[in-house]
Each structure stands twice: as structure tokens, then as C-alpha cells.
Amino acid sequence: MSAINPRRWWALVVLAAAQFMVIMDTSIIGVALPEMQKDLGFSQGELQWVFNAYVIAFGGLLLLGGRLSDLLGARKIFTTGWVVLIAGSIVAAAAQTAWVEVVGRAVQGVGGALIAPSAMTLLMMLFAHDPKELGKAMALYGAAAPAGGTAGVFLGGVFTEWLSWPWIFIIYVPIGVATLAATKLLPAVGSRRGSVDVLGAAAVTAGLALAVFAIVRAPEVGWTSTGTVLQLVGAAALLVLFFVIQKTVREPLMPLGIWRVPRLGSANLAMTLLGAAWIPMWYFLNLYLQQVLGYGAFASGAALLPMTGLLMIFMTAITARLMAKVGAKPLIGGGLLVLAAGLLWLSAVEPTGTFAVDVLPASLVAALGMSLAYIPAMMAAMSGAPQEQAGLASGIVNTTYQVGSALSLAALTAVATSQGAGQLGNLPALTDGFSAALIWAAAIAAAGGLITLLVMRSDKAAAAPQADATATAQGERAGV
């Protein structure tokens, strides 16, 4: 048994700050896009790549980040990720052309893909000795994700309205330098022998990128157009190739045997659908506040703070205690159903609505559902994995959340546009489009809740095989 790290709670601050910043990076650019389009010459169709370049690099390379974390040492990969993120932020802030901006965002995504799984591995190393401490640490770490997403919208509004859009990237430089200085608080982990499945990483990243590209372009060129069909078929082929590679290479990026870990599959499905419902809600709610209710960038960000407050309170003070009493399954399933109820309530927004009536109560219900489901789903996905595969399990669960978010946002944006959300200035049409997207998001969350309650093993049912898997892994490490 490894010694308990006396500085583990300070180390958790560093890890939670990293999680906060990585997730904030996906949301902070939202309110700045119009100014960036004007200054850098993006066309309307090209503008979405400021967001998607990050998400594709981040989601597509998370598995590789997890593998590198397991092989080379989590602290080393965590540090390298921050160096890459800082470099990408500098490029994005200094960009004078559209393509340089997209490159900078992609580099930021690569940095995030190294940081996220290595941070989770370090957290498990620091707190795995005590289930109660691990639950509390996961609550604090998990709360940093939705807080980062909402803070991104708020700070993006502050910087864009009172400074200029490059500041949304400049902010990462001093924070990154401070984080690098604090990495001495993190436990050092030696490297171990192994190879990196570069071909598998290329296949899964290209497949996800092509799928997102096809979905994003489909409303413009047509869902049944030759280009869209070929792109979706190509994406599917690349993803199939990825699984073939994983089955045949000696040291795969994602050993398929990991899916025998209890609840890994069902928890990742829940995370996919959670991201597919939550991120579109945040996106369309922000658009409703600005384009229908007439809020400015700063006011729109501030309007999302009540959700952040509720998320922080429940994730840090309540969810972990509930999980200890009732287990992960009812919280994940129930949380997704509560999120669905909040989304369905939000879909009733009116062109002449108000924040207090149309947004605040429903958004708090949705945030309650998110706060109940997120941490239990994350812990259920990782709890059965042996320590040497913690980075891989973290990479998988982060990947499923990001992929679900990206694909759903692209698809629901197409739904909203088809229902009138592209008619700027036409408040009834905009509201109808946003409402249609929110209804579909509610359906996704409801499906996730029902599937979880029907399919996922209960904590007691998973305990025995999980204990067997842990004992086997410990025996292998001991040479038994």
C-alpha cells in the first residue's frame, strides 16, 4: 500500500483548476465568435471551426492521452499538456487569419487531451486509499467541469465586452505558468515499457473529425447529398478500422478487454447521453438569452450563474453523500430523468418571455439533474479499472462525453435551423427553433435515464466481479 500523500488536498486544487480550465476552453469562445468573425474574415460556414477544431482534437486524442499517461507517467503528461495548451493559446490570441486561429484552437485541444486523463489518473492515485476521501475529491473535481463551462460563458462576455476577444486566450498563459509551477505538488510516477498505437489514434481521431464535419455541413449541403453520405460512411469505416486495429495489434490504444470492467459500458453510454443533452442546453439557452431576450454578452453569462451555484453546492456537498447511501445507478438514472424534465420545461420558452419565469426555474431543475448524474457516472466508469489502466478508463469516459456533446450539438443545431433558428431578428422563429432543439435534448436525457435504470448493474451486483478484477490485477502486478 502506497503512503498517503500529506499534500493531496493541495494537489487536488491543482487538478480541479486544470479540469476547470480545460472545460472552460470549450465554452469561453461562444460570445466572442461574432467579433472573431469580423476581425479574422471567417465566413458563416467556417466560423464553427473555431469551436469544433478544439472539440475534435480534444475528444479524438483523449484515448491517446490516457495511454501516454499510463506509459510515461501521469505527472509528465499533465505537465506536457499544459505546455501545449499555453502554446496553442498564444497562437490563437495572436492569430491574424482564420486558418491560424483554427490551428491554435486545435493545438489547445491537443493540450486538453493530455491534461484531462492524466489529471484523473493523478486524482485516483492521491485518494484511492480511502473511498470517502475519493468521493469527496471526485465531487470537487467533478464540480470544476460544469463550473468551467459556465464560467467560460461569463468570462467570455466580460473580456469581449470590456477588453477584446484575444483576451479569452491570453488568460490561459499566466494561469498555465502558475499551474506548471504547482506541479511539484503532484505525485511523480515512473514510466513503464510499452508502445503507442499511433495508427489506432489516427483512425479514431480522423473518424470522429469526419463525422462531426459531415454533421456540421449537412444543413448547408443536404443530409442526403453525395458528400454527406460519403463522409458519414467514411467516418463509420474509420471507426470500424479503429476497433479492428485494437483487436489485432499487440499493445492497442484501447484494449477491448477493458470493456469487461463492471459498468464501464453502461456508465460511458450514460456519459455520452448526458453530454449530448447538457451541452446543447447550455448552447441554446445562451442564444435564447442573447438573441430573443436581448441580453448582452456579460448579462447572458451572469444569468447562468445560478445554475453554476446549484451545481457546485450539490456536487461538493450532497451528491457524494447520496452516492454513499443509494449507489451510482439510481443517481445516474434519476439525474438524467430530472435533466430531461428541466429541458422539457425550458422548451416552453416564449418570444416574449422573461428570465425569471421562462429560464431560471427550469434551468435550476436541469442543473440539479446534471449534478446528480455526472459524478456517479464518472466514478462508475472508472471504479472497476485496475490502477495501471486508470488513465485509459479516464480517457474513454472523457471521450464519450465530448463525442456525445459534439455530435449532438451539431445535429440539434441542424434541427433548430430547420425550425427557424437561422432567421435572426425573427423572435418567434428563433424561439421555435431553440424549443425544438431543447425537446430533442430532453428526449436524449430521458432515454439515457431509462436505459441506465434498465441496463446498469447496481453497486452490489458490480461489487463481486469488481473485487475479482482488482484482486487479479493486484496479483499480476505482484507477479502471481
Side-chain angles (χ1 to χ4, degrees), residues 323-345:
M323 188 172 173
K325 291 182 179 180
V326 303
K329 178 179 176 177
L331 288 179
I332 300 169
L336 279 161
L337 292 176
V338 172
L339 174 59
L343 288 167
L344 195 60
W345 190 352

Side-chain angles (χ1 to χ4, degrees), residues 53-388:
Y54 180 90
V55 172
I56 290 170
F58 184 34
L61 294 174
L62 273 168
L63 287 176
L64 179 61
R67 175 64 174 166
L68 292 173
S69 177
D70 290 337
L71 287 178
L72 303 180
R75 189 170 79 173
K76 184 182 297 183
I77 296 303
F78 181 84
T79 302
T80 302
W82 271 103
V83 173
V84 174
L85 182 61
I86 291 170
S89 301
I90 293 172
V91 172
Q96 298 295 313
T97 60
W99 73 269
V100 174
E101 183 63 42
V102 171
V103 168
R105 288 288 291 162
V107 173
Q108 284 188 306
V110 174
L114 297 175
I115 293 169
S118 57
M120 181 60 70
T121 300
L122 290 164
L123 186 149
M124 296 296 287
M125 291 173 57
L126 288 164
F127 295 98
H129 64 278
D130 185 338
K132 290 184 178 180
E133 281 199 0
L134 178 61
K136 185 177 180 180
M138 283 293 293
L140 293 168
Y141 183 81
T150 303
V153 178
F154 177 74
L155 293 177
V158 171
F159 291 145
T160 303
E161 190 161 319
W162 290 330
L163 294 171
S164 60
W165 66 261
W167 280 92
I168 66 176
F169 303 116
I170 293 172
I171 188 63
Y172 286 91
V173 178
I175 293 176
V177 171
T179 301
L180 289 173
T183 54
K184 61 183 179 181
L185 294 170
L186 304 176
V189 185
S191 59
R192 61 186 179 90
R193 290 185 177 182
S195 60
V196 178
D197 177 17
V198 176
L199 184 59
V204 68
T205 304
L208 294 174
L210 190 57
V212 172
F213 179 78
I215 293 173
V216 167
R217 280 180 52 84
E220 179 183 344
V221 301
W223 285 95
T224 59
S225 68
T226 302
T228 299
V229 172
L230 288 177
Q231 288 159 8
L232 290 175
V233 170
L238 285 167
L239 294 175
V240 169
L241 175 62
F242 168 73
F243 284 102
V244 171
I245 292 170
Q246 302 314 289
K247 191 173 181 179
T248 56
V249 300
R250 184 175 180 180
E251 294 191 63
L253 186 65
M254 184 183 71
L256 298 183
I258 195 173
W259 292 101
R260 291 194 292 268
V261 169
R263 300 190 297 178
L264 183 70
S266 56
N268 273 277
L269 177 59
M271 284 296 283
T272 301
L273 298 178
L274 184 61
W278 176 260
I279 295 301
M281 182 217 71
W282 158 80
Y283 180 81
F284 290 111
L285 180 56
N286 188 52
L287 290 182
Y288 174 75
L289 289 169
Q290 292 194 53
Q291 296 179 357
V292 177
L293 298 189
Y295 282 36
F298 175 77
S300 177
L304 300 177
L305 289 180
M307 284 201 305
T308 303
L310 187 145
L311 284 165
M312 296 289 288
I313 291 170
F314 265 79
M315 283 189 173
T316 57
I318 299 175
T319 302
R321 294 180 182 179
L322 288 175
M323 188 172 173
K325 291 182 179 180
V326 303
K329 178 179 176 177
L331 288 179
I332 300 169
L336 279 161
L337 292 176
V338 172
L339 174 59
L343 288 167
L344 195 60
W345 190 352
L346 273 174
S347 71
V349 290
E350 297 286 346
T352 57
T354 63
F355 170 73
V357 174
D358 292 71
V359 175
L360 180 61
S363 68
L364 291 177
V365 171
L368 174 61
M370 175 64 168
S371 66
L372 290 174
Y374 184 84
I375 292 173
M378 181 74 73
M379 293 189 70
M382 294 189 62
S383 59
Q387 184 174 341
E388 67 270 16

